[in-house]
Amino acid sequence: MDLGARYRGLYEAGLFIAESAEDAYPLGALDAVLHASIRSELGARENSIDHCDSRMDVADAAEGLAAIAPPYAKLRRELFSDLHHVGRPAARWRAVSRNLAVLAPLQVWRRPPAYALLLRDPGVATGGAESWDFIVYPRASDPRVPGTTYTAMVFPDAASTPGTVQVTRQLEEQHEHYEQLTYGFTALGRLVQFAALNHPDGGREPQAPMD
């Protein structure tokens, strides 16, 4: 069997690990973003063998591909327990990748929403600003109920300070959701400021007094 075929087998094995974990640990509304994330990561390395020029390159490519699926399977087990198992510490935001974090709160007594924070078009910034999707799923355990997506823009500040997150007034006024947005960025290790907290007027012009 040639190297290309063996590497393809490794890719298929990673996909099988991911699919087996998805079948064993369904995550309701969060499944869509998680499915897309792991397939994107695997796909990014699917053809890495074609660019290898030495045995070291082959070893690096194989190791990188093999390392993707097992942590995903472990993460799904943890998220499944977050959703369904009583007696654990309160669910926390979990980083899926450098560009995605999710929160899967316990669904036993109450039905709090689940959340996802996802960088839109990684590597692409408009005017230096990053665009993030902040998704609120009102029925965490039901994949048939769509989430509401809010846009969060991260604008760069001076090199010595973190960027600033700006969102719509609608999201700012939903304090529970806005609070969770701050935790999502923290889970990703993004040290950013939040306009509604650090700059309460958000840079907006003051409204004229009503008669």
Side-chain angles (χ1 to χ4, degrees):
M1 184 181 294
D2 63 23
L3 278 178
R6 295 176 70 185
Y7 189 82
R8 182 68 191 179
L10 183 60
Y11 170 81
E12 295 292 346
L15 190 58
F16 179 64
I17 291 171
E19 290 172 344
S20 297
E22 289 162 356
D23 289 342
Y25 306 106
L27 294 172
L30 291 173
D31 268 335
V33 292
L34 292 169
H35 285 194
S37 175
I38 186 61
R39 284 154 182 78
S40 176
E41 285 198 67
L42 289 169
R45 292 181 175 268
E46 182 178 2
N47 299 310
S48 294
I49 192 70
D50 297 339
H51 308 289
C52 293
D53 297 320
S54 69
R55 291 179 179 178
M56 289 183 181
D57 290 345
V58 172
D60 288 343
E63 183 178 353
L65 179 58
I68 294 173
Y72 175 74
K74 181 179 179 180
L75 175 68
R76 288 194 70 94
R77 289 196 297 271
E78 291 297 319
L79 288 168
F80 186 85
S81 288
D82 286 349
L83 276 174
H84 300 294
H85 294 163
V86 177
R88 289 164 52 89
R92 57 181 175 83
W93 277 86
R94 298 182 183 274
V96 181
S97 69
R98 62 184 299 180
N99 299 322
L100 172 64
V102 298
L103 173 66
L106 185 67
Q107 299 290 301
V108 175
W109 294 289
R110 299 183 299 113
R111 296 292 186 269
Y115 298 90
L117 179 61
L118 172 66
L119 178 61
R120 188 186 306 164
D121 299 326
V124 178
T126 303
E130 293 178 337
S131 180
W132 292 75
D133 286 337
F134 178 61
I135 311 172
V136 181
Y137 299 98
R139 296 281 297 277
S141 60
D142 192 342
R144 298 168 299 177
V145 179
T148 300
T149 300
Y150 301 92
T151 297
M153 299 297 297
V154 180
F155 293 91
D157 292 335
S160 60
T161 60
T164 297
V165 179
Q166 292 190 4
V167 300
T168 63
R169 176 75 77 181
Q170 179 188 14
L171 179 54
E172 285 183 7
E173 293 175 348
Q174 298 184 70
H175 296 166
E176 179 181 356
H177 297 339
Y178 190 80
E179 180 182 7
Q180 291 298 339
L181 175 65
T182 70
Y183 298 149
F185 276 108
T186 299
L188 290 171
R190 299 295 298 257
L191 302 178
V192 291
Q193 300 184 76
F194 295 87
L197 300 176
N198 302 92
H199 310 286
D201 65 356
R204 303 181 182 88
E205 294 293 332
Q207 295 183 355
M210 298 182 64
D211 295 332

